[in-house]
Amino acid sequence: MTQQAEPHPIAEEAPDEAMDAASGPCCEAPHRAPRDDGFGAAFCASMATLCAEIVVAATAGVLVLLSREHDGLPNGPVLIAAVALGALLLTVLLSGFVTAAAVMPTLTLARRTARARKRSDSALWTAGAATAVAAAAVVVFGGVAALGSLSLARPLSYPIWWGALTVVLVPAALAGRAAARRVRESRSGSVARRVTRDGLLAWLVVGALGAGAYGTGLVSVYEPPRLTRSDLAGTWTDGRGGTVKLDSDGNAIAEGLDNFIWDGTGKDRPKDCDGSGTWTPVKDGGRVQGVSMRISSCELSRDWSVIGTEKEPRIFHEIGKPGSGKRYVLTKVVKHKNRHREK
């Protein structure tokens, strides 16, 4: 009695399962991780570049202004530290705003323009886009400022703003472009760290040059003139017909002096001040810092600060809101004696 072998039960089912297992990886696209476009790296590199530009430029500006007329520097380590911390925070916020509002649009404009013309996204495209974005920013902000003040600025100021903004934007945009390309190409290194290092070196160089110039006496820090009560006595003029005579006994006589009075519309309007009053020197630590003048006939009550030099002293007071930068300045009339040689 012979036994017949039964066919294997899995033989018919195996091909379907084998084909499913074999066709799965071939027919389905392999899963890939999303590729970083370098936006974050570009943003950080741009902020680092702008911070470096602001810090270096501000340091150079302070070194130059130390030799010019100024109202005084902050005194005390606590006040200096507070001013430095506030300036640093403002620098970071400003660099972030400019990056978001101008630098990133510059990179986008350069990339899309080059792609539309089937060109490579080169540094020249980025620089050209920066000039276009700077021009657009000047038009927008210049228009807003004109609407706010109901007047246009001087025509020459617009190209100056455009040129200055272009100079600021181009390095930041190029640094952002380099950082984004480095990330997309998976290259090591950080553009932001390199820019921070180079910016720190540039700041140290500028600081060293300034310290050397002031330390060797090549440039001197400005100091207001050291005046006495007798030096303040005399005639002071605004150069437009307005004068005030300060007598040595403390009397003051004004003729056509401008008295700026709040007109209720947000501006100080000048009115002629004629009449007599009094004046006293304003001292701080025994040193004359200015003049306190009172003319009751025209309700003039002002404290004037001393600037200029001992040979050409001037007094001034601020006009309008504090920090406006507008001043009403009086210059002392110096009488030069004519010396005639006897023959």
Side-chain angles (χ1 to χ4, degrees), residues 8-341:
H8 199 281
I10 308 178
E12 297 179 358
E13 299 177 1
D16 295 335
E17 295 180 0
M19 289 183 63
D20 292 340
S23 63
C26 296
C27 299
E28 294 180 2
H31 178 70
R32 296 180 181 178
R35 192 173 185 179
D36 191 354
D37 61 354
F39 178 89
F43 202 99
C44 291
S46 172
M47 284 191 62
T49 304
L50 291 171
C51 285
E53 290 180 7
I54 294 173
V55 171
V56 173
T59 302
V62 169
L63 291 173
V64 172
L65 291 177
L66 284 176
S67 62
R68 306 291 180 88
E69 293 182 356
H70 54 267
D71 299 336
L73 300 175
N75 297 322
V78 177
L79 183 58
I80 293 177
V83 171
L85 183 60
L88 182 60
L89 179 60
L90 181 62
T91 298
V92 174
L93 294 176
L94 182 60
S95 65
F97 172 76
V98 174
T99 295
V103 176
M104 301 311 293
T106 295
L107 297 178
T108 302
L109 177 62
R111 185 171 59 253
R112 291 184 177 180
T113 305
R115 187 179 302 170
R117 298 195 176 188
K118 298 180 180 181
R119 302 285 184 84
S120 60
D121 181 15
S122 64
L124 291 178
W125 283 101
T126 303
T131 60
V133 171
V138 170
V139 171
V140 172
F141 288 101
V144 172
L147 290 175
S149 61
L150 299 179
S151 62
L152 293 173
R154 295 179 179 178
L156 185 59
S157 61
Y158 295 107
I160 292 176
W161 293 344
W162 171 74
L165 188 56
T166 300
V167 170
V168 171
L169 290 182
V170 168
L174 292 177
R177 171 184 174 274
R181 289 176 63 89
R182 184 175 292 273
V183 170
R184 290 196 295 266
E185 296 172 1
S186 300
R187 290 186 291 169
S188 60
S190 173
V191 175
R193 284 198 295 268
R194 190 193 310 171
V195 168
T196 302
R197 179 199 63 194
D198 295 343
L200 179 60
L201 291 176
W203 177 72
L204 291 175
V205 169
V206 171
L209 291 176
Y214 285 100
T216 57
L218 183 64
V219 184
S220 300
V221 177
Y222 169 78
E223 292 185 359
R226 297 178 178 271
L227 304 179
T228 62
R229 185 185 182 93
S230 59
D231 294 327
L232 294 174
T235 302
W236 300 77
T237 178
D238 61 5
R240 301 189 302 272
T243 61
V244 61
K245 183 179 180 182
L246 306 180
D247 295 333
S248 56
D249 57 0
N251 292 325
I253 302 175
E255 294 182 1
L257 202 66
D258 287 345
N259 183 24
F260 292 85
I261 301 176
W262 182 265
D263 63 357
T265 63
K267 296 183 180 180
D268 285 341
R269 304 285 183 181
K271 293 185 178 180
D272 287 344
C273 177
D274 300 298
S276 60
T278 60
W279 72 275
T280 56
V282 177
K283 296 183 179 180
D284 183 11
R287 181 176 178 177
V288 175
Q289 300 289 333
V291 178
S292 179
M293 193 183 309
R294 305 289 183 268
I295 308 293
S296 57
S297 60
C298 53
E299 299 180 354
L300 186 148
S301 180
R302 295 281 188 178
D303 289 343
W304 307 65
S305 300
V306 174
I307 56 172
T309 62
E310 294 183 359
K311 294 183 178 180
E312 297 181 357
R314 300 193 301 276
I315 59 176
F316 76 93
H317 70 75
E318 221 171 4
I319 303 172
K321 298 179 180 180
S324 63
K326 298 180 180 180
R327 296 177 173 182
Y328 181 49
V329 183
L330 301 179
T331 304
K332 188 175 182 181
V333 177
V334 180
K335 296 181 179 180
H336 299 280
K337 296 181 179 179
N338 296 325
R339 295 181 180 179
H340 300 280
R341 295 180 179 180

